[in-house]
Amino acid sequence: MTIPGITPQLPLAWRAPADARLDTFLHAPPGAIAALGALARGDAGTWVLVVGAPGTGKSHLLLGACAHAEARGRRAAYVPLSHARGRVGEAIAGADAASFVAIDGVEAIAGAREDEVALFEAHNRLRAAGVGVAYAATHAPDGLPLAVPDLRSRLAQCLRVVLEPLDDDGRADVLRARAERRGLALDPAAIDWLLRREGRELAHLTALLDRLDRASLAAQRRVTVPFLRQVLDRQ
């Protein structure tokens, strides 16, 4: 998945969306935000592996940790492996100059032995240099079809943060908080209507909310169910 604002070819040239911050992540597992914050600040040596199905917020947490590091004067690198299959060694090379590195989407290179070896070597190199690293993957190490057992064992040594899909109340909380940060007036009934009509995939819902924000601003109208029908039927 392409993340708006990210330049995948240059891991040190990342730019997180404004909403991707540690303090905007809702319903995180106990201790998860504190662990990532400490790692990003350089206050903890325990590396982190964030595990969860697509849409559970893994990239949000990694990008938020990068932003947390940069806000404290540390250099951060974000490396989305989904864009680096076949050239992981090249993609991760620039990360050596960072103080904190977020490596997203380990599952994207599972089974690609050359890429796995490059990641394993980078892992050891960054560990020796004292760089903090956070990984994200759709499955725990034992559930990934990795070709390099030593890479699996290194990932298994990380502190594991497991993200579960949100229920409808949790999704509503995310939409409500995102709207409030934008100053968008969003009726509670409109959120319920969106969840019923547009499905429950958060990436789709938040992108839709951004479109509604622009439409509401242009029309100078509160986002109500009639307004939603008008905008979505037109699109």
Side-chain angles (χ1 to χ4, degrees):
M1 178 180 70
T2 300
I3 301 175
I6 297 301
T7 307
Q9 295 85 357
L10 299 172
L12 296 182
W14 65 276
R15 181 167 56 85
D19 279 300
R21 298 292 185 269
L22 291 180
D23 60 3
T24 63
F25 192 91
L26 301 182
H27 303 292
I33 301 299
L36 283 164
L39 182 61
R41 291 191 304 273
D43 293 341
T46 304
W47 290 10
V48 174
L49 170 63
V50 182
V51 177
T56 50
K58 300 184 300 296
S59 296
H60 181 144
L61 283 179
L62 262 58
L63 287 165
C66 285
H68 192 75
E70 291 269 338
R72 284 148 184 82
R74 309 186 82 225
R75 195 175 188 189
Y78 174 78
V79 185
L81 294 181
S82 59
H83 297 280
R85 190 175 173 89
R87 55 185 184 86
V88 167
E90 173 192 348
I92 209 168
D96 290 19
S99 303
F100 173 76
V101 179
I103 301 175
D104 203 352
V106 175
E107 70 282 353
I109 65 162
R113 184 174 183 82
E114 186 174 336
D115 283 340
E116 289 187 29
V117 169
L119 183 57
F120 171 72
E121 292 175 348
H123 179 109
N124 292 337
R125 190 169 65 247
L126 294 169
R127 174 69 78 182
V131 177
V133 175
Y135 291 98
T138 53
H139 296 84
D142 287 345
L144 292 171
L146 295 170
V148 178
D150 285 343
L151 175 59
R152 188 190 310 278
S153 70
R154 296 299 189 276
L155 293 173
Q157 291 168 7
C158 296
L159 172 67
R160 197 171 304 172
V161 171
V162 180
L163 303 180
E164 300 292 344
L166 294 177
D167 58 17
D168 279 356
D169 288 341
R171 294 183 183 94
D173 288 342
V174 170
L175 292 177
R176 189 178 302 110
R178 192 179 183 103
E180 288 176 355
R181 287 195 297 273
R182 283 162 167 68
L184 176 63
L186 188 63
D187 281 357
I191 296 178
D192 294 339
W193 190 88
L194 278 174
L195 289 171
R196 290 197 307 271
R197 165 166 168 158
E198 294 295 326
R200 289 163 169 77
E201 211 280 309
L202 267 179
H204 169 68
L205 289 169
T206 53
L208 180 57
L209 191 64
D210 292 342
R211 297 209 316 264
L212 290 169
D213 188 12
R214 293 190 293 271
S216 172
L217 184 62
Q220 292 295 294
R221 287 185 57 184
R222 183 182 181 89
V223 179
T224 61
V225 171
F227 182 72
L228 283 174
R229 289 197 178 102
Q230 175 185 331
V231 172
L232 296 180
D233 287 348
R234 188 168 62 239
Q235 294 176 349

